[in-house]
């Protein structure tokens, strides 16, 4: 009888520890992701790539981003600002798209700049600043030298599969 009770206690203890560990790690991951979204922790390059694909494909296919080129419109830093505004308007109209945080838009802009192309040098800084309409995190990114953009620098020699990446002189 004591042996059966010890085995039952062992099984219950093992299951309790397993469930506790699963919940703890899940909560820790959620806390970490929330801290990154708020800008308290930096996104790794791989996390930023996953974030860019996850967020951008919520509204349209990845091909729409991957085939974007400098002749299609403004640099990604401006495009992502308008996507943030588009999401706000879509949510007003009853859609349920999770808004982009400042840290997320900065990471996403760097991902697309690195994987497809950074065409900021093709535009005047004054024009881009005006188009960013006081979006301070993106204005700060615009004023950050390329060498100090960690995600973009990590992706400088890479390109996204299926992307149209122009060679910029």
């Amino acid at each position: 009888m004591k042996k059966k009770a010890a085995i039952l206690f062992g099984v219950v203890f093992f299951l309790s520890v397993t469930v506790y560990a699963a919940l703890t790690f899940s909560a820790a991951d959620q806390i970490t992701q929330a801290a990154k979204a708020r800008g308290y922790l930096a996104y790794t390059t791989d996390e930023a790539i996953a974030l860019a694909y996850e967020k951008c494909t919520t509204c349209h296919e990845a091909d729409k981003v991957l085939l974007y080129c400098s002749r299609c419109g403004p640099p990604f830093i401006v495009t992502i600002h308008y996507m943030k505004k588009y999401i706000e308007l879509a949510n007003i109209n009853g859609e349920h798209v999770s808004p982009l945080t400042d840290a997320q838009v900065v990471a996403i802009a760097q991902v697309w700049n690195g994987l497809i192309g950074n065409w900021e040098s093709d535009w005047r800084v004054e024009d881009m600043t005006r188009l960013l309409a006081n979006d301070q995190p993106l204005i700060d990114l615009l004023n950050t030298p390329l060498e100090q953009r960690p995600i973009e620098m990590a992706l400088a020699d890479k390109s996204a599969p299926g992307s149209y990446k122009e060679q910029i002189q």
Side-chain angles (χ1 to χ4, degrees), residues 48 100 127 143 166:
L100 297 171
D127 292 337
N143 293 320
E166 285 188 281

Side-chain angles (χ1 to χ4, degrees), residues 2 4 13 54-55 68 72 76 99 101 106 115 129 166:
K2 288 183 181 181
K4 286 182 182 181
F13 178 75
E54 174 195 336
K55 292 295 187 175
Y68 194 81
C72 295
F76 284 108
T101 67
V106 169
L115 292 178
T129 302
E166 285 188 281

Side-chain angles (χ1 to χ4, degrees), residues 55-122:
K55 292 295 187 175
C56 295
T57 59
T58 299
C59 300
H60 49 74
E61 297 292 321
D63 289 345
K64 187 169 186 172
V65 179
L66 297 175
L67 297 176
Y68 194 81
C69 72
S70 63
R71 292 182 300 268
C72 295
F76 284 108
I77 199 164
V78 174
T79 303
I80 193 70
H81 166 74
Y82 282 97
M83 291 299 107
K84 189 166 84 169
K85 294 296 180 190
Y86 174 79
I87 290 169
E88 289 174 15
L89 292 174
N91 285 333
I92 289 172
N93 291 332
E95 295 181 37
H96 301 288
V97 180
S98 62
L100 297 171
T101 67
D102 293 338
Q104 289 172 331
V105 295
V106 169
I108 292 169
Q110 289 184 72
V111 166
W112 297 132
N113 280 349
L115 292 178
I116 299 172
N118 181 333
W119 303 296
E120 293 167 17
S121 63
D122 294 353

